Amino acid sequence: MSALTTALYDVIERRRDVRAEFTGSPVADDVLMRVLGAAHRAPSVGMSQPWDFVVVRDTATRRVFRDHVAHERDTFAASLPPERRSTFDRIKVEGICESSLGIVVTHSQSRGGQHVLGRHAIADAGLYSTVLAIQNLWLAATAEGLGLGWVSFYREDFLQGLLGIPDDVRPVAWLCLGTVSHLATVPDLERHGWRSRRPLADAIHHDTWQMKERNRA
Ligand SMILES: Cc1cc2nc3c(=O)[nH]c(=O)nc-3n(C[C@H](O)[C@H](O)[C@H](O)COP(=O)(O)O)c2cc1C
């Protein structure tokens, strides 16, 4: 394998969803621009580039969002049976205030006009494109030695109101980005016994979809 290939697989392997390991030091502007540049180079259906990035540094805004997320965390916790609840109670789901900054990635389905090449049959292809920008950002952050954590414990209309996002633009993710003490080698959810990685063999099908017993849950 070439050094480039090894480096790429290494970054993919090292990438982690970070909640507890943020140290809160500033991220240099040139580094931030590089990771946003990586996000902006993502593939997109019909070249629609439907993403935007709201960089949130304001402490008061972050506190308001953190409180909203805490409320949504409670809502989810209340839906769980007792045994799952006690496992979930040990899991941290965000590092909004501890991270260096937030990046809210938004999706505009109207970007690119009415005739987006390749989206006429699959409307979600637009959303897929925005999610690819997030993955690029996540891998670039990892390569830069930063941590990133995706927060989805929120109501879209709340975040739209908080950041002044127009009604027809969807906030797809609040990403906590920042300097970290280290990146864990095992995903948090696995470490806390919530859910483990499936074997690759279970995810691969040949020629037709075959229901595998272990794939049901
Ligand atoms: C769409 C999406 C939403 C997520 N939302 C949250 C979240 O709200 N809180 C959280 O702690 N992790 C969240 N995660 C992170 C996942 O829990 C994490 O990716 C998964 O457990 C695997 O761990 P790893 O990313 O460290 O490999 C989210 C990930 C994705 C892709």
Side-chain angles (χ1 to χ4, degrees):
M1 265 200 287
S2 71
L4 182 68
T5 314
T6 308
L8 177 64
Y9 283 117
D10 182 48
V11 169
I12 290 171
E13 177 83 26
R14 271 194 292 148
R15 184 210 54 79
R16 230 4 11 98
D17 187 87
V18 175
R19 296 97 160 183
E21 291 81 16
F22 289 114
T23 54
S25 302
V27 172
D29 279 347
D30 59 330
V31 177
L32 178 61
M33 289 311 291
R34 282 202 296 268
V35 298
L36 290 175
H40 196 56
R41 275 195 292 274
S44 61
V45 64
M47 201 73 182
S48 54
Q49 305 160 75
W51 50 73
D52 285 278
F53 311 106
V54 184
V55 178
V56 186
R57 291 196 172 87
D58 185 68
T59 311
T61 303
R62 289 205 265 168
R63 284 201 189 116
V64 171
F65 185 64
R66 181 208 45 206
D67 292 349
H68 171 71
V69 167
H71 175 74
E72 289 302 327
R73 183 203 162 95
D74 290 346
T75 302
F76 179 65
S79 74
L80 296 171
E83 181 245 330
R84 292 303 269 165
R85 170 92 197 240
S86 66
T87 304
F88 179 66
D89 282 348
R90 294 193 294 272
I91 299 174
K92 185 170 165 62
V93 298
E94 53 83 17
I96 297 158
C97 292
E98 304 92 320
S99 58
S100 308
L101 52 96
I103 300 176
V104 174
V105 181
T106 62
H107 172 70
S108 170
Q109 190 71 2
S110 58
R111 180 85 39 79
Q114 280 189 324
H115 306 289
V116 174
L117 187 156
R119 211 189 61 190
H120 76 285
I122 304 175
D124 282 347
L127 195 55
Y128 303 159
S129 309
T130 295
V131 174
L132 284 169
I134 295 174
Q135 180 72 348
N136 268 14
L137 201 161
W138 208 335
L139 292 175
T142 308
E144 295 280 1
L146 299 172
L148 185 145
W150 185 323
V151 183
S152 57
F153 280 73
Y154 63 83
R155 302 290 159 173
E156 291 185 17
D157 57 350
F158 180 89
L159 191 48
Q160 283 171 315
L162 185 64
L163 301 184
I165 298 169
D167 285 350
D168 61 340
V169 175
R170 291 182 68 185
V172 175
W174 178 296
L175 305 176
C176 304
L177 178 73
T179 54
V180 284
S181 55
H182 65 284
L183 293 178
T185 52
V186 178
D188 265 20
L189 298 194
E190 194 161 345
R191 198 159 52 82
H192 288 292
W194 179 264
R195 196 168 164 88
S196 302
R197 196 175 293 287
R198 300 158 64 204
L200 173 61
D202 286 5
I204 299 175
H205 305 246
H206 296 282
D207 296 325
T208 60
W209 173 278
Q210 296 125 10
M211 180 53 81
K212 304 178 185 188
E213 204 45 47
R214 279 190 298 182
N215 275 351
R216 286 185 196 279

